[in-house]
Amino acid sequence: DWRVVYWNSECERVTGYTADEAVGTPGFLELLYPDPEYRRSTAEEWARLAGDFREREFGLVAKGGAVRAVAWSRIAAQHPIEGWATWGVGVDVTAQRRAEEALRDSEELYRSLVETTSEGYWLVGPDGRTLGTNHALREMLGYAHGELVGRSPAEFASPEGRECVARSISS
């Protein structure tokens, strides 16, 4: 009947609910998954996966309304516990997801700044070959996106400037 039979201190920390509030409480999962449609689809996903699975992420609502991202692993088939219909282990990945989102936002901002500036940018790898360029540089040199990748910037310098370019790349 989807009643919680065990609730440890990490469950308490992540959700804000004590073991006394969770264990054996009819309808407790409705507190963690208050949206009936999301609760239904989550239960269907859990059932659809039938056997064991690893790190399937489901969001839950903690006490006080904070949304937490939890990566669930169900290993009940490998490690059955008598009297338990199923069980799983959840790991709070909320901070990791927020950090990933902040990184994506930062990368998007950086990419936008580099692509919209009138200055030419040339990204060169440790081997001295082009990894990427921005629109301004390609326009200055008359190349399309991707045509400079893998080539050395020294190829585009004047004969007397090639040594200088090669030195700046290697330092």
Side-chain angles (χ1 to χ4, degrees), residues 51-54 74-81 87:
D52 291 345
F53 57 83
R54 300 278 192 272
R74 183 172 70 189
I75 54 176
Q78 282 183 316
H79 306 283
I81 298 176
W87 66 279

Side-chain angles (χ1 to χ4, degrees), residues 137-150:
L137 181 71
R138 293 188 301 271
E139 192 171 279
M140 287 178 212
L141 297 175
Y143 284 84
H145 183 76
E147 287 184 326
L148 298 172
V149 173

Side-chain angles (χ1 to χ4, degrees), residues 90-110:
V91 176
D92 181 8
V93 294
T94 306
Q96 180 180 342
R97 293 300 169 258
R98 287 183 183 144
E100 290 168 354
E101 184 178 338
L103 180 59
R104 275 191 304 275
D105 290 348
S106 175
E107 288 172 342
E108 187 177 309
L109 176 61
Y110 173 77

Side-chain angles (χ1 to χ4, degrees), residues 19-149:
D20 287 341
E21 292 172 298
V23 175
T25 303
F28 176 73
L29 293 179
E30 293 175 14
L31 296 174
L32 299 178
Y33 305 99
D35 177 348
E37 180 56 31
Y38 183 73
R39 189 172 55 251
R40 184 193 61 71
S41 68
T42 300
E44 284 177 2
E45 174 80 358
W46 189 276
R48 184 186 65 74
L49 293 169
D52 291 345
F53 57 83
R54 300 278 192 272
E55 299 179 18
R56 293 301 288 237
E57 203 167 300
F58 299 104
L60 61 79
V61 178
K63 193 175 199 176
V67 176
R68 311 295 293 188
V70 177
W72 287 98
S73 294
R74 183 172 70 189
I75 54 176
Q78 282 183 316
H79 306 283
I81 298 176
E82 190 174 328
W84 292 17
T86 189
W87 66 279
V89 177
V91 176
D92 181 8
V93 294
T94 306
Q96 180 180 342
R97 293 300 169 258
R98 287 183 183 144
E100 290 168 354
E101 184 178 338
L103 180 59
R104 275 191 304 275
D105 290 348
S106 175
E107 288 172 342
E108 187 177 309
L109 176 61
Y110 173 77
R111 205 173 292 111
S112 174
L113 290 171
V114 168
E115 280 300 321
T116 58
T117 185
S118 60
E119 296 176 0
Y121 280 88
W122 207 314
L123 180 61
V124 179
D127 65 353
R129 304 228 171 261
T130 301
L131 297 174
T133 58
N134 71 342
H135 176 75
L137 181 71
R138 293 188 301 271
E139 192 171 279
M140 287 178 212
L141 297 175
Y143 284 84
H145 183 76
E147 287 184 326
L148 298 172
V149 173

